[in-house]
Amino acid sequence: MSLNNSRTTNGTAWAAFWFGLAGLVLMPIPLFIGLILGGGLSLIAAVLAVIALLKGLSRQGKGIAPVVFAGIFVALTWGGISIGGGIVW
């Protein structure tokens, strides 16, 4: 029995994915609540996505897909905030 797990995952990438998704979902809450919650979570997701991307590139591209989706979620969240999401909606 081998202790080497051939199905290694990029946990940082999945954390970025879930933080990005949570930020996108929470961003539309009005009265600055969405700005603080959604914006904060998306900022954490962006930092984790950069770390996970560097980690994934060092593993020959393993675990890059959740990073791509996290980047899309972060971009949508910041785009929504830039047009007034979390502030006036």
Side-chain angles (χ1 to χ4, degrees), residues 10 12-18 49 52 62-73:
N10 193 343
T12 311
W14 283 106
F17 175 86
W18 289 112
K62 292 192 186 277
I64 297 291
V67 175
V68 172
F69 283 107
I72 292 170
F73 295 152

Side-chain angles (χ1 to χ4, degrees), residues 9 12 14 32 40 42 50 57 80 82:
T9 60
T12 311
W14 283 106
F32 294 99
S42 70
V50 169
L57 290 176
S82 70

Side-chain angles (χ1 to χ4, degrees), residues 45-71:
V47 171
L48 287 174
V50 169
I51 294 169
L53 182 64
L54 295 174
K55 184 191 267 188
L57 290 176
S58 70
R59 293 181 178 176
Q60 291 79 30
K62 292 192 186 277
I64 297 291
V67 175
V68 172
F69 283 107

Side-chain angles (χ1 to χ4, degrees), residues 20 22-29 32-43 73-89:
L24 181 63
V25 169
L26 294 174
M27 181 264 305
I29 300 173
F32 294 99
I33 297 168
L35 176 69
I36 294 168
L37 290 178
L41 288 175
S42 70
L43 185 63
F73 295 152
V74 168
L76 288 173
T77 302
W78 289 351
I81 288 174
S82 70
I83 60 170
I87 301 169
V88 243
W89 292 356

